Every structure is written in structure tokens, then in C-alpha cells.
Amino acid sequence: MRAVSTSIAGLSLVCRIALGSVFAILIVTVAIQVFTRTFSASSPIWTEELSRFALLYLAAFGVGLSYRSGDLVNVDILQEAVSERKAWWMRFVSAIATAGLALLMIAPAWRFTTIGAMQTSPSLRWSMDLVHASVLVLAVTLFVFALLRVIGMLAGVDDGRTQFAEEE
């Protein structure tokens, strides 16, 4: 089941790179807003849209990593009070429920994305399906991370506990 570990590491790397790229875009956009508002009468209108779009993609690429690290939602007080076997089952059922919910979100997210093809953003003139796709990316990313946790738990390579990033 080395493939599961490799898949998780690869997907985590892709999400981290995408997250870092979107965050860099957000930093530059906000810096332009602050600079132009400080030294001129107004800032370019497109910076407002781009910062909102960047925030959507921050959530989309970050949700799987947050799920993996336990930063998304992690209530482990009950797990600490029960035996390790029961705690494993609780984490397993939770991972299945998360994967199931994310899977249910994919079809509506796809429909939402296709609706965006008929719309354009006011200032950037981007097709809104690119923006609406952030919801689809969020659902797919969460589904894949949760599914990989379920597979990893069944294979014995993952105990379902949150995986904290190693400090460098």
C-alpha cells in the first residue's frame, strides 16, 4: 500500500504548491490595493475581484490539507476517553462520512460551475466558470483526501489520526 502513501504525499505537494501560488497572488493584489489607496485617490477595481477569487481558491486548495492536519475540524476529546480500538472506528466512520459528504457535493458543484460559463466577472472579464470551479475543486479535494484516509486505514498505513506538518 505504498501507493496510498505516495498518493497522499503527491496530492499534498500539489495542494501546497497551488495554495502557495494563490496566496502569493493574494499578497500582491492586497499590496497593490494598500499602496494605491495610500498614495492615490482610489485603487484599481480589479483588485477587489481578484482578492475575492483568490480567497475562494485558498479555501479550495486548503481544505484537504486542513482535513489532513486536523485544522479543518478535529474534536478528539471523545476519542481520548475511549479505547484505541473504539477511537480507530470513530475516526474511520468519520472519514467515510466526510468522503460521502464531499462526494455528494461534487455533482451540485459541477452544475454550479457550468452555470458560470454563461456569466463574466464585471471588472476582470473572466468567465465565471473559472471562479465557480473553486467549489468543485474544494469538493473533489476533500473527497480524495478523505477517501485516501479510509483506504490508508483499511490498508494499515494510516491510523486516521491527524498528520501534523513536520517543522523544518
Side-chain angles (χ1 to χ4, degrees):
M1 280 284 132
R2 185 177 175 145
V4 173
S5 298
T6 305
S7 297
I8 292 171
L11 183 60
S12 294
L13 179 64
V14 168
C15 285
R16 285 179 185 192
I17 290 169
L19 195 61
S21 301
V22 172
F23 197 61
I25 290 168
L26 182 62
I27 289 170
V28 169
T29 304
V30 172
I32 291 170
Q33 284 179 327
V34 170
F35 183 81
T36 55
R37 286 181 182 167
T38 303
F39 298 109
S40 71
S42 65
S43 65
I45 191 68
W46 59 265
T47 58
E48 294 291 331
E49 270 188 4
L50 187 56
S51 60
R52 282 194 301 270
F53 299 163
L55 287 171
L56 289 171
Y57 273 97
L58 275 176
F61 289 121
V63 71
L65 296 172
S66 296
Y67 177 73
R68 183 165 160 69
S69 69
D71 293 328
L72 185 60
V73 171
N74 190 24
V75 181
D76 58 359
I77 192 166
L78 186 57
Q79 292 178 28
E80 298 296 326
V82 298
S83 68
E84 178 55 32
R85 181 165 172 76
K86 287 180 183 175
W88 185 93
W89 278 103
M90 290 169 71
R91 292 189 300 269
F92 183 70
V93 169
S94 176
I96 289 173
T98 302
L101 177 63
L103 183 62
L104 287 174
M105 289 172 31
I106 292 174
W110 178 259
R111 284 193 300 276
F112 180 63
T113 301
T114 58
I115 290 170
M118 298 178 282
Q119 303 167 343
T120 325
S121 66
S123 65
L124 289 172
R125 299 288 180 216
W126 289 356
S127 176
M128 287 301 288
D129 57 347
L130 299 172
V131 178
H132 291 180
S134 63
V135 179
L136 181 62
V137 169
L138 184 144
V140 169
T141 304
L142 183 59
F143 171 70
V144 171
F145 270 103
L147 182 64
L148 286 173
R149 179 174 285 179
V150 169
I151 294 169
M153 289 179 78
L154 289 174
V157 296
D158 188 353
D159 62 0
R161 293 184 190 278
T162 56
Q163 304 295 320
F164 297 105
E166 295 179 18
E167 295 295 323
E168 297 180 63

